[in-house]
Amino acid sequence: MRKLYLYAPALKKYETDYLNSENGWKMVSVTGIACAFNCDHCNRRILEGMEDASTKEKMKNVLEKVIKEGHKGLILSGGSSVRGEVPIWRYSDLLSNYANKLTFIAHTGVVRNPEIAEKFAKAGVKIALLDMVGDNETIRDVLKQPFTVDDYLNSFKYLKSAGIKIAPHVIVGLSKKGIDGDLHAIELLKEVNPDTVIIVGLMPLVGTRNTRQPTPQELITALKKARDEFSVPVMLGCARPRGSAYLEVDRFAVDYDIDGIAFPEEEVIPYARNKREIIFSNACCGNVIFDVLGVI
């Protein structure tokens, strides 16, 4: 079986006898808590938990801090502009000065043209994180965005053409069409030759609307399809429902040769160690691309 990578970045407090997030890669928002959209499943709440890097001075302070603390990477994120992308490119000149010291993994948002993709590349972004949505109804009614499925697919194509690795996320529970819509999103990724496929699950947040938490079986079904369809690394990502009912999802990931799990349930770690070679990491789980390739 493949090596199993277990990740714990500093996105939340996570502590087990085997791995904790205290020294994990940090996530910063280049827009603070601002976003041009107000998606039902987020309502800007996710931005509240990110470190503020909404000015050049704040960004520089973060960069110096993470290097001083010995981190090897940083997760760049934030709210979307009206065009769809997260405006990380505003700090291209600053970020490019640190690109030889840190691996930048970025939530890019929707990338509408090759020129914007090149701006991300100029900033030193090595891996792009972007959700894949498989139907226009969900984009319109849940995400409240004026985009289409083709806009999402083209985003990945533009980013790949700019030399950036792509790590599509499929959010199980997001589609208005239920699990069939989520599985269709995975199917569509064949068009873009992803460098990894990351499966996550919708977690209804306080203050959000029209959200559906996926069942454990739905998450398992999505993981199985991703593993069956793709030879690239497949991840069980960080955002997903927790609790005893979902332990079977982590166990399935171990048994079905999924390449990695972010924030694994503690009970699953000894189970996994009896079956596979384990690699612990404090990186963003998107870094599984470079971990599997053995490069930085």
Side-chain angles (χ1 to χ4, degrees), residues 107-127:
H107 289 113
T108 62
V110 176
V111 177
R112 301 298 298 278
N113 57 59
E115 290 74 27
I116 295 174
E118 289 292 343
K119 289 182 178 181
F120 281 105
K122 182 182 177 183
V125 172
K126 296 293 192 297
I127 298 173

Side-chain angles (χ1 to χ4, degrees), residues 32-93:
I33 59 172
C35 181
F37 301 105
N38 193 22
C39 305
D40 282 354
H41 73 297
C42 173
N43 197 26
R44 305 189 182 99
R45 294 297 304 276
I46 294 173
L47 297 174
E48 295 173 3
M50 301 180 191
E51 191 161 351
D52 186 358
S54 57
T55 68
K56 191 171 184 178
E57 181 180 3
K58 289 178 179 178
M59 177 64 81
K60 184 174 182 179
N61 288 340
V62 169
L63 293 167
E64 293 291 344
K65 179 182 177 183
V66 297
I67 290 173
K68 184 177 180 180
E69 292 175 349
H71 297 292
K72 296 181 179 179
L74 183 67
I75 308 166
L76 305 171
S77 190
S80 297
S81 72
V82 292
R83 289 189 305 191
E85 85 277 3
V86 178
I88 291 164
W89 47 263
R90 294 189 306 191
Y91 304 111
S92 290
D93 291 343

Side-chain angles (χ1 to χ4, degrees), residues 5 9 23-24 27 39 41 67 78 82 98 108 111 145 153 174-175 178 188 209 219 227 237 246 251 253 288 292:
Y5 294 87
N23 296 314
M27 180 184 291
C39 305
H41 73 297
I67 290 173
V82 292
Y98 292 84
T108 62
V111 177
Q145 294 176 344
L153 290 170
L174 181 67
S175 176
L188 286 172
R209 308 173 297 277
L219 283 166
R227 177 76 292 158
Y246 289 87
R251 291 195 182 100
V288 70
V292 170

Side-chain angles (χ1 to χ4, degrees), residues 22-295:
E22 183 178 356
N23 296 314
W25 289 18
K26 300 180 186 300
M27 180 184 291
V28 300
S29 171
V30 300
T31 63
I33 59 172
C35 181
F37 301 105
N38 193 22
C39 305
D40 282 354
H41 73 297
C42 173
N43 197 26
R44 305 189 182 99
R45 294 297 304 276
I46 294 173
L47 297 174
E48 295 173 3
M50 301 180 191
E51 191 161 351
D52 186 358
S54 57
T55 68
K56 191 171 184 178
E57 181 180 3
K58 289 178 179 178
M59 177 64 81
K60 184 174 182 179
N61 288 340
V62 169
L63 293 167
E64 293 291 344
K65 179 182 177 183
V66 297
I67 290 173
K68 184 177 180 180
E69 292 175 349
H71 297 292
K72 296 181 179 179
L74 183 67
I75 308 166
L76 305 171
S77 190
S80 297
S81 72
V82 292
R83 289 189 305 191
E85 85 277 3
V86 178
I88 291 164
W89 47 263
R90 294 189 306 191
Y91 304 111
S92 290
D93 291 343
L94 175 62
L95 292 169
S96 62
N97 292 331
Y98 292 84
N100 63 335
K101 300 176 183 178
L102 294 167
T103 297
F104 293 134
I105 296 181
H107 289 113
T108 62
V110 176
V111 177
R112 301 298 298 278
N113 57 59
E115 290 74 27
I116 295 174
E118 289 292 343
K119 289 182 178 181
F120 281 105
K122 182 182 177 183
V125 172
K126 296 293 192 297
I127 298 173
L129 313 177
L130 174 62
D131 299 334
M132 180 61 219
V133 189
D135 61 275
N136 292 329
E137 293 86 350
T138 298
I139 297 171
R140 181 190 66 229
D141 298 338
V142 178
L143 303 185
K144 312 296 186 187
Q145 294 176 344
F147 309 128
T148 66
V149 170
D150 284 342
D151 289 325
Y152 276 80
L153 290 170
N154 286 334
S155 296
F156 292 117
K157 294 173 184 177
Y158 294 146
L159 289 162
K160 286 213 78 165
S161 294
I164 299 172
K165 303 290 186 184
I166 58 171
H169 287 51
V170 174
I171 306 175
V172 182
L174 181 67
S175 176
K176 290 189 69 177
K177 297 185 177 182
I179 185 62
D180 289 341
D182 301 325
L183 297 178
H184 182 59
I186 296 172
E187 185 74 21
L188 286 172
L189 289 175
K190 292 179 180 178
E191 294 186 28
V192 301
N193 297 316
D195 296 290
T196 182
V197 176
I198 300 178
I199 303 299
V200 295
L202 191 63
M203 299 185 299
L205 303 172
V206 175
T208 59
R209 308 173 297 277
N210 301 325
T211 54
R212 176 182 64 85
Q213 181 168 304
T215 66
Q217 188 55 51
E218 287 175 329
L219 283 166
I220 287 171
T221 299
L223 281 171
K224 184 177 186 301
K225 181 172 180 61
R227 177 76 292 158
D228 290 346
E229 298 286 354
F230 295 96
S231 60
V232 298
V234 173
M235 279 289 311
L236 178 58
C238 57
R240 64 185 192 276
R242 303 285 173 166
S244 58
Y246 289 87
L247 279 172
E248 63 179 298
V249 180
D250 286 34
R251 291 195 182 100
F252 176 84
V254 173
D255 293 338
Y256 209 68
D257 218 16
I258 301 302
D259 293 88
I261 305 173
F263 302 120
E265 298 290 353
E266 183 165 12
E267 300 93 321
V268 172
I269 297 176
Y271 176 80
R273 295 181 87 172
N274 288 328
K275 292 173 173 282
R276 297 171 62 180
E277 180 182 352
I278 304 298
I279 308 294
F280 295 106
S281 174
N282 283 125
C284 166
C285 72
N287 202 59
V288 70
I289 297 169
F290 292 144
D291 286 336
V292 170
L293 291 175
V295 299

